[in-house]
């Protein structure tokens, strides 16, 4: 055994000692070192591998302790004779198998959609502008804090505890943390027997769907809504009612009264991200009480409200235990673990626990304790603050960019938060074409197609998410998307007619604009007022409470209306052609595309 | 703030610094320290808590970094003003809720048995003789090795990887380890696309049951068999066929041909623990091929064969991809994580993956990598060797004790391994009475009632497990159980009739036994032969190959047959009354109870 028979991998995450141990065990179990064969001396192996001799010695000692090898007086180290006992070799096992009659099609009784959701390209990270929702860039993962919590959890005497805790009982520390740290943020009070820990929110929804739904039950869900959820509800055989969504979330109408169970996402509706106002939450609850309905409140992304505070959960207003509250730790943590939970009436929780036991057993106690420590150490709070800040900045950048470039129409679903925006594609551009063309340019956006019940229907919306795109790429991405839209619009795009009688020259512009007030709505339907002072100063007010203010300069140059804000429009100067018909003013890029239109009021001073 | 407002818990698993941080955050979030309120100086707090000042300083620094507190020039440390922003207090939330019409009974469509399995008493660990199966004493958990694997897994770049790995794809390292470390022990060869990782074996069975079963499918399972499995299969609506079990496991007969799917536990049948011999495995497979059936091979406890090597899995003999193999990491590891897996045709695995995604999502990558490292570092192998050794010793001690004390009849299900024995209760004692009376004496055994299809039926068997009882308690426990049986038998017990004409005195004993051969069967149905030499030596041979041998001394004393083995019967001397009728010999305790009976052959030498 002169030449080295194992090699070390430079970029392995294992320590040298661990690697040596692992490689030797592999070699032994795979028969490279038959039982009784002699191993190189620690000195020799250390030379061959170019590691400190002590590293090899320690690895050997562990293997000795584990009985893989044995050392014989004055003759060296050998593979134990019985090391392969009880192992059955590969021989005799068929290397490849034929399908049984190939009729899996008949055998498999439950078939799921091939791809319920929209599939981002495998290499989405190679795209410069991934406006993706759901995937998170790894930089957001709280590795250090998570590691600390795990280390402490592994140190705990959980294994002993687990043998005494009633089978199926969750970690009391995690229940306590959820009750005191997470639920108060949502205004919810719950006793431990009202909480069940699940393997993520989806697992919670699956358990509830199996418990509460079958062919005799009518279940209402939002339309548009999550395709994964739709699939999950469908496989119970329940009769699905697609309930429309408006800018306040699920529409509440007499039709909804026929449902026995209502699934709803009040915090940020999927996919529109609109938030259900308190009035509608009250109305929903009132109807549920009147018609004896159950509500499954899927509290998706409740943390991410950037404009105003989060609303209390519907569950917190519930006095009749009709609301089944589902939430969990944020999806960013999924690689480490999925933790979700259900808050509901104790009787339902009892049944849910039984089903969970049959389906997956109790979620690992060590995982539960890790989550509990992550919460109790304050890591969850600081992590959520960081996440909230990052998402808020990205979301804001996306809103700004859309307002700046994607002008000409308003957004139909104004939102106060979330991690995505729901944008209407110009009526003359098919959204699937747009998505495909955009992807070819490295811009990933999501079509609305799969969100509507009744496959492949589309209302020509697309979704732009910010969970994976760095803030500083957002403006560029939106600009390039707008250029693509221009290109695809081609002829159908209204262009400046140089013969337009309403086209103003420099003098007319000066006269018209000086002292004038321009009123229009932002992309987000907020009223916006711009006052053009005769001295060239310019004041802007946006929002219902004028909460968004800016000032800047305006002037006329070569028959162009020029302006520069301090903050708005990225504080960059712009120059536009202007046409006026009556009090209807429109401005155009010098290249001829329409930028926006508004109402103009001339101050009386100017009138005489 | 003169007196301490937080206190430290001496027996906490947290570091002092972590504890201080956690307590402060709790106090802040629960409002004990309102926003803007002043905190004690690090010096003061350190005094109050009697910890090094630096410990407090470090805790404070972390809280500063996390934005919970802020320090103001020359005035001290304060709770941040915005620390509670976005939190909704308890006020307004109803403290208690009424049930909605209390009609959960109608609302819950899927009802599971309250308690499918037998429930051990909550305080089973307080019982001196817990002959339990399923619970494990914590001492068996490989804490150090598990911790090492976790630490390495947390160090890996898994989070980055997870964003690129196809959603739902399992950890390639774990798949590789299962393929090269675990499956070869079972003679199984599988490519990665034939393997799905699940959250334990039960999760695997649940997924398969949902995929392959509905009201149109006939499913055969063993009877007696696992009540949890029965419940799991029933909830699919499938038509269950209860297939009898003999000492070779599931019986294969023409009736079985009507099943489309067959669930079977060939390694160690639950509950009898019998192992299916290769011949029957072949017959099962042949029938499945002939009648186009699927086999779910539940490879329960395949590691624990103490007599002889494990048999290759049925899957390893399958050439038509009919066998769906289910196994996992041993249940001892469950507090750390549940990892199970399915090996089957790629088409089935694809569907199973989709269902898993909808049900629980992908099992945590960090957990998967932890398991992979546990395997690749050789910890799994050494752990299984330890576990196998421990269980083997306990199992052996139980066999010995039963053979020694529980005489008078044979066991009906001889086994070669597992972690439990299936014992028949004397026909005149109801097993439930026996179980209850035994529990009152601190002896925990499991009745057979819930193992049979058709609730509450019993064949008067009970089950004795060794997963939790220390080896050195086993003999004592079995002895006390036997005494209880004697007591419960009371009158019905056959006793020595002092008028029995066959009762021998000293001389007759000496004459009869000297040079005689005694033949009978052990408790495990092994033939046993005892030769009584005229010189007082005694030779014993047991087993079909006489593999179990011992020798000892015999003599006659006060009309008693006395004997002492070197090893058998714990090497302890015994003295018995003896009756003979024809060649039928029986011996009795001096207290009158029957010990055992046998056939006696007198050597011809003696005849003349």
């Amino acid at each position: 055994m002169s030449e080295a028979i194992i090699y070390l991998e430079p970029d392995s995450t294992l320590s040298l000692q661990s690697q040596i141990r692992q490689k030797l065990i592999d070699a032994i179990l795979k028969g490279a070192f038959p039982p009784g064969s002699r191993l190189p001396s620690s000195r020799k192996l250390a030379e061959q591998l170019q590691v400190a001799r002590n590293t090899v010695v320690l690895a050997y000692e562990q293997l000795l302790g584990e009985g893989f090898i044995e050392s014989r007086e004055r003759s060296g180290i050998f593979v134990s004779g019985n090391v392969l006992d009880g192992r059955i070799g590969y021989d005799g096992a068929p290397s490849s198998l034929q399908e049984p009659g190939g009729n899996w099609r008949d055998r498999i009784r439950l078939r799921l959609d091939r791809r319920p959701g929209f599939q981002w390209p495998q290499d989405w990270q190679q795209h410069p502008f991934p406006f993706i929702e759901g995937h998170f860039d790894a930089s957001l993962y709280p590795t250090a804090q998570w590691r600390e919590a795990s280390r402490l959890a592994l140190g705990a005497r959980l294994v002993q505890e687990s043998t005494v805790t009633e089978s199926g009982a969750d970690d009391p520390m995690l229940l306590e943390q959820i009750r005191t740290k997470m639920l108060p943020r949502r205004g919810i009070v719950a006793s431990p027997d009202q909480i069940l820990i699940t393997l993520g929110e989806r697992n919670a929804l699956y358990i509830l769907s199996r418990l509460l739904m079958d062919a005799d039950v009518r279940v209402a869900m939002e339309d548009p809504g999550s395709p994964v959820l739709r699939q999950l509800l469908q496989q119970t055989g329940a009769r699905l009612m697609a309930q429309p969504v408006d800018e306040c979330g699920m529409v509440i109408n007499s039709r909804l009264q026929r449902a026995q169970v209502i699934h709803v996402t009040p915090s940020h509706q999927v996919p529109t991200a609109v938030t259900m106002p308190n009035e509608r939450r009250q109305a929903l609850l009132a109807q549920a009480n009147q018609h004896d309905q159950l509500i499954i409140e899927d509290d998706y992304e409740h943390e991410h409200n950037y404009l105003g505070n989060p609303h209390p959960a519907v569950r917190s207003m519930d006095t009749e235990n009709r609301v089944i509250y589902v939430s969990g730790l944020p999806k960013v943590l999924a690689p480490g673990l999925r933790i979700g939970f259900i808050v509901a009436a104790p009787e339902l929780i009892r049944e849910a626990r039984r089903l969970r036991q049959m389906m997956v057993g109790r979620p690992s106690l060590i995982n539960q304790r890790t989550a509990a420590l992550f919460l109790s150490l304050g890591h969850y709070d600081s992590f959520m603050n960081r996440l909230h800040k990052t998402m808020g900045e990205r979301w804001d950048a996306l809103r700004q960019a859309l307002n700046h470039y994607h002008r000409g129409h308003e957004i139909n679903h104004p939102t106060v938060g979330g991690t995505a925006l729901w944008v209407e594609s110009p009526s003359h551009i098919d959204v699937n074409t747009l998505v495909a063309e955009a992807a070819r340019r490295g811009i990933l956006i999501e079509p609305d197609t799969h969100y509507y019940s009744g496959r492949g229907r589309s209302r020509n919306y697309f979704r732009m998410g910010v969970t994976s795109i760095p803030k500083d790429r957002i403006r560029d991405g939106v600009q390039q998307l707008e250029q693509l839209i221009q290109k695809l619009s081609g002829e159908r795009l209204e262009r400046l007619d140089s013969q337009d009688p309403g086209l103003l020259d420099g003098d007319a512009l000066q006269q018209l604009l000086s002292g004038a007030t321009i009123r229009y709505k932002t992309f987000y339907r907020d009223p916006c007022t711009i006052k053009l002072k005769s001295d060239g100063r310019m004041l802007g007010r946006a929002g219902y409470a004028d909460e968004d203010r800016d000032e800047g300069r305006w002037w006329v140059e070569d028959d162009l209306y020029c302006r520069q804000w301090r903050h708005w429009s990225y504080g960059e100067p712009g120059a536009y052609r202007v046409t006026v018909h009556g009090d209807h003013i429109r401005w155009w890029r010098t290249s001829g595309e329409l930028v926006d239109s508004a109402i103009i009021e001339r101050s009386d001073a100017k009138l005489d």
Side-chain angles (χ1 to χ4, degrees), chain A residues 189-241:
Chain A
V189 180
S191 52
D193 65 345
Q194 295 175 316
I195 305 176
L196 180 75
I197 306 295
T198 63
L199 290 148
E201 286 176 71
R202 196 181 295 175
N203 181 226
L205 293 169
Y206 183 88
I207 290 173
L208 291 170
S209 73
R210 292 283 297 150
L211 281 181
L212 301 174
M213 302 172 198
D214 61 22
D216 301 335
V217 176
R218 279 187 306 278
V219 182
M221 75 169 273
E222 297 150 337
D223 186 26
S226 156
V228 177
L229 176 77
R230 188 175 297 115
Q231 180 190 50
L232 191 148
L233 299 180
Q234 272 161 348
Q235 58 94 33
T236 66
R239 284 173 284 170
L240 279 199
M241 296 170 52

Side-chain angles (χ1 to χ4, degrees), chain A residues 403 520-522 526-530 539-550 568:
Chain A
N403 187 42
Y520 66 108
K521 285 193 174 239
T522 69
D526 296 337
C528 181
T529 311
I530 298 173
L539 298 175
R541 306 263 182 277
Y544 290 94
D546 291 354
E547 59 267 31
D548 182 9
R549 297 158 174 252
D550 196 14
W568 290 0

